[in-house]
Amino acid sequence: MEVHPTILLLLVSCFVTASYAHNVHLSSLNQSLIVTTSPKTNQVLKAGEDNITITWTYNTNLTASMPDTNYTTVEAKLCYAPVSQTGHDDRKTDDNLDIDKTCPFDITDGPYKRSNNSFTWSIPKDIPKATYFVRVYAVKANKHEIAYGQSTDTLKTTNLFQIDGVISNQKVSASSSVAWNYFVYCYALMLLMMLLV
Ligand SMILES: *[C@@H]1O[C@H](CO)[C@@H](O)[C@H](O)[C@H]1NC(C)=O
Ligand SMILES: *[C@@H]1O[C@H](CO)[C@@H](O)[C@H](O)[C@H]1NC(C)=O
Ligand SMILES: *[C@@H]1O[C@H](CO)[C@@H](O)[C@H](O)[C@H]1NC(C)=O
Ligand SMILES: *[C@@H]1O[C@H](CO)[C@@H](O)[C@H](O)[C@H]1NC(C)=O
Ligand SMILES: CC(=O)N[C@H]1CO[C@H](CO)[C@@H](O)[C@@H]1O
């Protein structure tokens, strides 16, 4: 049986789109940014009312070993602390950033600047009630993350703050990566094609 050209075309376009999945692992990134947040440890902030000031800077001590030559943009994100991930599959940490769901909320992005970066974020009303930290990624021209920094330690236990926000126990994975969904879609399509042949 012949495979219909439309299915072939779909499959090709599918994998072209899926190539947006960039397969970058957090553990391969250089932790070269220093990130701070304004709340005191365990401070409780109100969604829809309070704000957080985030600052970040390149650790210039690393100029020789981990130069920032190829950093073009930054992305600051709000991230769930481990204590708020337990029992929530839709907040799970994965070293592969295409799949990782630790940091689903965008705070700001913009061109990379070595120092003197500060951003005050009004916490949106729809942020879930949880414990958080902030992570800032440095991104290369090809949109792949190259480095990062976070407002907590490696184990994500220090300098955490709480947001008193929306209480929800629904398991919507609104944050699940578009690229990852595409992969799943592509493989389903491929399977269908194999069944047809
Ligand atoms: C942020 O919150 C603080 C404390 O509530 C307030 O004094 C300040 O004006 C707020 N800043 C902005 C930019 O909303
Ligand atoms: C950079 O190095 C200096 C001198 O060793 C040290 O005092 C400082 O704390 C270092 N800065 C960072 C961010 O590690
Ligand atoms: C920057 O990117 C260029 C081109 O991809 C590469 O050759 C170079 O090694 C990179 N430099 C650093 C410091 O990562
Ligand atoms: C940092 O930014 C502030 C406000 O934009 C500016 O007044 C100050 O000169 C800057 N400092 C440096 C070292 O760039
Ligand atoms: C992703 C990335 O840029 N990794 C670099 C981290 O820093 C080491 C040197 O310490 C480089 O070899 C890596 O390429």
Side-chain angles (χ1 to χ4, degrees):
M1 180 179 159
E2 291 262 313
V3 175
H4 197 279
T6 316
I7 294 184
L8 262 181
L9 196 71
L10 260 174
L11 194 68
V12 170
S13 68
C14 194
F15 276 99
V16 168
T17 314
S19 66
Y20 282 119
H22 44 260
N23 204 29
V24 173
H25 290 72
L26 186 72
S27 56
S28 74
L29 303 183
N30 289 146
Q31 206 172 336
S32 57
L33 302 179
I34 300 162
V35 179
T36 68
T37 51
S38 54
K40 294 184 183 58
T41 298
N42 287 328
Q43 188 177 337
V44 181
L45 299 113
K46 275 204 148 13
E49 281 180 33
D50 291 329
N51 62 60
I52 303 171
T53 298
I54 300 129
T55 69
W56 65 95
T57 178
Y58 172 68
N59 181 350
T60 47
N61 288 1
L62 303 176
T63 317
S65 59
M66 304 175 188
D68 61 348
T69 331
N70 290 344
Y71 302 5
T72 59
T73 55
V74 289
E75 294 170 358
K77 292 173 185 283
L78 182 71
C79 312
Y80 289 113
V83 66
S84 291
Q85 291 178 298
T86 323
H88 289 266
D89 277 353
D90 56 338
R91 300 179 180 178
K92 242 189 186 154
T93 292
D94 195 291
D95 196 37
N96 183 341
L97 294 179
D98 290 328
I99 304 167
D100 182 44
K101 300 190 182 87
T102 315
C103 307
F105 306 106
D106 294 333
I107 295 176
T108 185
D109 52 38
Y112 172 74
K113 248 189 344 155
R114 229 182 205 200
S115 61
N116 210 19
N117 300 285
S118 172
F119 184 80
T120 298
W121 188 53
S122 301
I123 305 167
K125 277 205 297 284
D126 58 351
I127 295 295
K129 180 183 171 74
T131 301
Y132 295 98
F133 65 93
V134 170
R135 183 179 288 164
V136 178
Y137 290 105
V139 180
K140 293 193 279 195
N142 67 359
K143 307 273 189 264
H144 290 194
E145 294 85 355
I146 183 169
Y148 77 105
Q150 59 191 26
S151 62
T152 185
D153 63 344
T154 313
L155 293 175
K156 302 182 274 194
T157 57
T158 60
N159 302 320
L160 304 174
F161 56 88
Q162 300 176 42
I163 294 180
D164 184 4
V166 181
I167 298 169
S168 96
N169 46 16
Q170 70 206 79
K171 299 277 178 189
V172 283
S173 57
S175 61
S176 124
S177 146
V178 173
W180 180 250
N181 288 342
Y182 245 99
F183 262 130
V184 172
Y185 169 66
C186 292
Y187 280 107
L189 202 65
M190 197 160 75
L191 211 68
L192 178 75
M193 202 179 98
M194 279 154 73
L195 285 175
L196 285 176
V197 183

